[in-house]
Amino acid sequence: MPLNGSLEASSIYISLNTRPERGTYHWGLILTDLHTNPVLHHASNRTGPWTYEEKIAKPDQSLTLIVLRLVGKVKSHSRTREVIKDIPADGSPSQRTGESFSCRIWVKDVLMSLHECEEIVLPETIDKLEILAVKNGLKYAPFAESGQGATVINDTS
């Protein structure tokens, strides 16, 4: 699969992967280092209860990835990883909002925590970012699902 666009160094992206129901996605975060190497951070319940997973990402080889939307630059790669790992991914309700757990809620909680500790600067409110990500998912899903690869969006507006 081609990757339509290129990743920026020392940045964090929202990743949306296809799910069976249109307009719903598996949400994750891609964190790049100084050399643009991508690592996926996400909450998964694929093999049992919800757990946090960190793994080397290969967005150009993914059959389910639809879009990577830039959130912003990270100040410290190692500190960002620490903050990500500190957000519970065990299926318990959001400590921030009390909402029922999902991968989407986990991503929003991580991004808010990173913003609050000044590791990133959110370009929009967290709810507006969610709306933009879903719009991007709907727009680029047909492209990705027809085998043309995922789209990288580096415009934060």
Side-chain angles (χ1 to χ4, degrees):
M1 297 281 116
L3 186 60
N4 303 293
S6 55
L7 298 172
E8 293 187 6
S10 301
S11 297
I12 193 160
Y13 289 82
I14 295 172
S15 69
L16 297 183
N17 289 68
T18 189
R19 290 184 59 212
E21 186 180 327
R22 187 180 192 285
T24 66
Y25 309 98
H26 174 66
W27 291 63
L29 294 167
I30 295 282
L31 179 62
T32 61
D33 63 15
L34 289 170
H35 307 287
T36 69
N37 297 313
V39 173
L40 173 66
H41 299 264
H42 70 132
S44 174
N45 63 349
R46 254 192 167 170
T47 59
W50 283 104
T51 57
Y52 164 77
E53 183 178 23
E54 175 183 11
K55 66 181 182 179
I56 293 171
K58 296 181 180 167
D60 59 331
Q61 296 177 19
S62 175
L63 298 176
T64 61
L65 182 62
I66 294 171
V67 69
L68 292 170
R69 180 176 183 80
L70 178 66
V71 175
K73 295 285 185 185
V74 298
K75 287 186 180 177
S76 164
H77 188 269
S78 60
R79 177 72 180 122
T80 297
R81 284 183 68 235
E82 287 175 21
V83 172
I84 291 171
K85 291 178 179 185
D86 282 346
I87 303 303
D90 58 5
S92 57
S94 168
Q95 292 177 353
R96 183 176 63 87
T97 65
E99 291 175 89
S100 296
F101 189 86
S102 70
C103 55
R104 177 183 57 84
I105 297 300
W106 181 83
V107 164
K108 290 172 61 174
D109 286 351
V110 169
L111 292 175
M112 285 301 300
S113 185
L114 289 168
H115 179 75
E116 288 165 1
C117 73
E118 300 180 348
E119 284 302 317
I120 64 170
V121 175
L122 291 177
E124 301 282 352
T125 67
I126 195 67
D127 293 329
K128 175 86 174 185
L129 263 179
E130 177 184 9
I131 290 166
L132 291 170
V134 170
K135 282 182 181 179
N136 294 146
L138 289 168
K139 179 177 181 179
Y140 293 106
F143 192 70
E145 291 168 353
S146 67
Q148 297 176 56
T151 299
V152 178
I153 299 170
N154 285 320
D155 178 8
T156 58
S157 57

